[in-house]
Amino acid sequence: MSPSPDWLPPEQYAETLPKATVFGAVFFTDEHDRPVQLRSVYSMAVHPWQWPGGTMESGERPWETAVRECEEETGLVVPGPPRLLAAVFSLPGAQWPYATAGYIFNGGRLNAQQIKAIRLDPDEHDEVRALSLPEWLPLMPERDFARLTAVMNARRTGTPAYFGSWDWEP
């Protein structure tokens, strides 16, 4: 049987598909279950408060990316096994031409000494805070706060969240 006239070899078919980047991040709370976030020095207008994480490099899997980025950005080494809290998806937009898929992993609780020992990469972040959800609300865009709330609920319930509307601005 011959292939359909619409059939393309895999390498040609792949060129017709949407492009996407992937990120991995680690979510921590303090001993009082307050989310720990880092203030961005390069994305203050779009995503001012972030979790340790970043874009996947060639040959990495999302968990490996999250662990590597967390250590680079904070000095914290996250032990395994990976515990997924949420999957995040965004469509491309004016600020980024690709869709983005992300995986947020549970880093557990940090005590005051661990938080104080965080070494921030000054090219990426300039402050670390642990605040309650109501205290985070005025400090971040609505969609970032909605994502934070979804991740907190996932951590509390043990059911991973899917946050599929974290789109780039059109």
Side-chain angles (χ1 to χ4, degrees):
M1 186 169 176
S2 62
S4 144
D6 295 331
W7 182 86
L8 293 172
E11 62 278 1
Q12 288 178 4
Y13 176 67
E15 290 301 316
T16 70
L17 298 175
K19 306 298 182 251
T21 57
V22 179
F23 74 86
V26 180
F27 177 77
F28 296 102
T29 60
D30 69 1
E31 294 174 303
H32 306 288
D33 277 337
R34 298 179 302 184
V36 174
Q37 297 195 92
L38 313 176
R39 187 169 66 179
S40 171
V41 298
Y42 59 85
S43 185
M44 286 301 295
V46 181
H47 304 294
W49 292 93
Q50 306 173 350
W51 305 312
T55 304
M56 191 169 65
E57 294 179 356
S58 181
E60 278 186 328
R61 299 178 191 281
W63 168 248
E64 294 165 331
T65 300
V67 170
R68 175 184 54 78
E69 287 281 348
C70 185
E71 186 171 5
E72 288 174 5
E73 294 178 2
T74 66
L76 296 172
V77 176
V78 183
R83 294 173 293 162
L84 183 67
L85 285 176
V88 176
F89 181 80
S90 64
L91 293 170
Q95 298 167 351
W96 187 247
Y98 301 114
T100 302
Y103 300 88
I104 301 159
F105 298 96
N106 190 349
R109 289 187 175 90
L110 301 174
N111 63 39
Q113 184 178 7
Q114 289 171 307
I115 293 171
K116 188 176 180 179
I118 289 175
R119 297 183 322 269
L120 296 176
D121 176 348
D123 292 333
E124 296 198 39
H125 303 100
D126 66 359
E127 185 178 351
V128 60
R129 289 189 192 178
L131 301 172
S132 67
L133 281 177
E135 292 171 310
W136 279 120
L137 180 59
L139 301 177
M140 52 198 326
E142 277 184 48
R143 67 190 179 135
D144 286 9
F145 185 75
R147 184 182 70 149
L148 173 63
T149 302
V151 169
M152 283 292 289
N153 287 336
R155 174 119 167 244
R156 182 180 47 78
T157 65
T159 302
Y162 171 67
F163 200 76
S165 59
W166 199 56
D167 295 341
W168 293 94
E169 296 296 325

